[in-house]
Amino acid sequence: GGQCISCGNCSTYCEMGIDVRAYAQKGENIVRSSCVGCGICSAVCPRGVLKLENGSLDGRINGDAVLLGNDVDLLDLIRQQKRGARKS
């Protein structure tokens, strides 16, 4: 919060039109469905205030991976990984 100099680069360059500066000034996380996670806001921040990271899958409505097409082998691989993670 205290490092943001309100230059507005993050909001200006956000391709999704999110007012990133407002979040940065408050020191709040941006949790918006419209954020695509491109990281442009972080790249244009002159103070390095912003960072792009993914939170835990816990509590998400659907934590499953998104598969494009009909790749059954990949779906099986993901299920195996989940089973292995649960055993650990």
Side-chain angles (χ1 to χ4, degrees):
Q3 295 180 358
C4 178
I5 58 172
S6 300
C7 68
N9 284 352
C10 52
S11 295
T12 299
Y13 289 97
C14 178
E15 294 183 0
M16 301 309 294
I18 299 171
D19 186 5
V20 180
R21 179 178 59 184
Y23 288 93
Q25 288 173 331
K26 297 175 190 171
E28 294 179 357
N29 292 332
I30 300 171
V31 182
R32 301 263 315 248
S33 60
S34 57
C35 177
V36 295
C38 67
I40 290 175
C41 59
S42 177
V44 299
C45 179
R47 301 285 300 213
V49 174
L50 304 169
K51 62 182 175 181
L52 184 66
E53 58 186 35
N54 291 319
S56 162
L57 296 178
D58 295 337
R60 293 190 188 185
I61 293 173
N62 184 0
D64 293 337
V66 175
L67 301 177
L68 301 176
N70 190 14
D71 195 340
V72 178
D73 293 335
L74 185 56
L75 184 58
D76 288 338
L77 176 64
I78 291 171
R79 287 181 180 148
Q80 289 173 4
Q81 289 175 343
K82 285 186 177 185
R83 281 189 222 120
R86 287 182 192 143
K87 291 179 183 178
S88 299

